[in-house]
Amino acid sequence: MLCLPFAPYRLSQGFSASHQALDLVPLLTDTLAGAPFAGTVTFAGEDQRPELAQYPQYNRGFYVQIEDYHRMTRLCHLRGDLRVQEGARVETGDDLGIVWYSGYVLPPGPGGLHVHWSLAVGGVFVDPLLYLEEDDVSEPTIIDSLNKAWELLSEIQFHAGQGSFLTDLAEKVKQECIVPIKKNIGLQ
């Protein structure tokens, strides 16, 4: 069984001969990437391969690699505070770390937020989408919707600037609508 590392997401770059992975952009802030399948963590840390001095564009940043009998998966560009350590046993869906923009990403910084998800079966890199369960379809939950609304309102506040009508309105919606709902369902 293979599952998506997180949802909801936007596919920013698909699998090809020159890009043997999927680039998934989370639609929510502070998205945790989960283990796509159960296995053993064979690497968890920062990419420090010697060849990066000459080829910095291959820097995976902080990443987690998981292996089972015949599969290997990597989730790259996570935040540095990984939730697992090398040698740990993980189950499908276990938290690995927060999707981030560590390593070499384009554009640099927050605009490059994504996870580079690769999957090898029998030593050959394959498109992970071909191996997902048919019912692995994500429907946004109320929590997802609230987080997305909060994110959009924050973006409005940032772009509108301090003291504008839109900034004040966005803050009012956050405090009078979203915060009470989050409290009622135990999120705050």
Side-chain angles (χ1 to χ4, degrees):
M1 182 171 138
L2 182 71
C3 293
L4 286 166
F6 59 86
Y9 69 92
R10 175 179 58 82
L11 181 66
S12 68
Q13 187 170 0
F15 185 91
S16 68
S18 62
H19 184 259
Q20 296 185 335
L22 299 176
D23 287 350
L24 306 177
V25 178
L27 298 183
L28 305 172
T29 57
D30 294 332
T31 295
L32 280 164
F37 58 80
T40 302
V41 175
T42 55
F43 184 86
E46 187 173 12
D47 191 359
Q48 297 182 353
R49 295 171 292 156
E51 61 266 25
L52 295 177
Q54 187 174 359
Y55 302 103
Q57 69 272 26
Y58 297 119
N59 188 333
R60 300 173 182 146
F62 286 92
Y63 74 98
V64 174
Q65 181 171 300
I66 301 168
E67 297 182 34
D68 70 2
Y69 302 106
H70 65 286
R71 296 180 295 186
M72 182 279 297
T73 189
R74 271 189 215 117
L75 289 102
C76 304
H77 307 304
L78 301 175
R79 201 165 72 184
D81 55 344
L82 299 174
R83 308 287 171 100
V84 294
Q85 295 179 345
E86 194 170 318
R89 172 85 183 153
V90 294
E91 298 302 321
T92 304
D94 283 357
D95 292 338
L96 305 176
I98 294 177
V99 178
W100 204 243
Y101 45 89
S102 64
Y104 186 84
V105 296
L106 291 176
L113 179 81
H114 75 285
V115 79
H116 179 86
W117 178 28
S118 59
L119 173 68
V121 176
V124 177
F125 284 98
V126 295
D127 184 344
L129 292 179
L130 299 177
Y131 288 81
L132 290 173
E133 297 292 316
E134 275 190 47
D135 61 350
D136 191 16
V137 177
S138 173
E139 291 293 328
T141 65
I142 185 69
I143 296 168
D144 295 336
S145 298
L146 288 170
N147 287 336
K148 184 62 180 175
W150 188 277
E151 181 182 315
L152 292 172
L153 289 166
S154 296
E155 196 171 313
I156 289 169
Q157 288 176 305
F158 174 78
H159 290 294
Q162 194 68 22
S164 78
F165 169 76
L166 283 176
T167 300
D168 295 342
L169 180 61
E171 185 61 29
K172 186 173 182 171
V173 170
K174 286 164 90 173
Q175 297 307 318
E176 293 182 14
C177 299
I178 297 175
V179 170
I181 294 171
K182 283 185 166 187
K183 283 182 182 175
N184 284 339
I185 61 175
L187 292 178
Q188 285 186 331

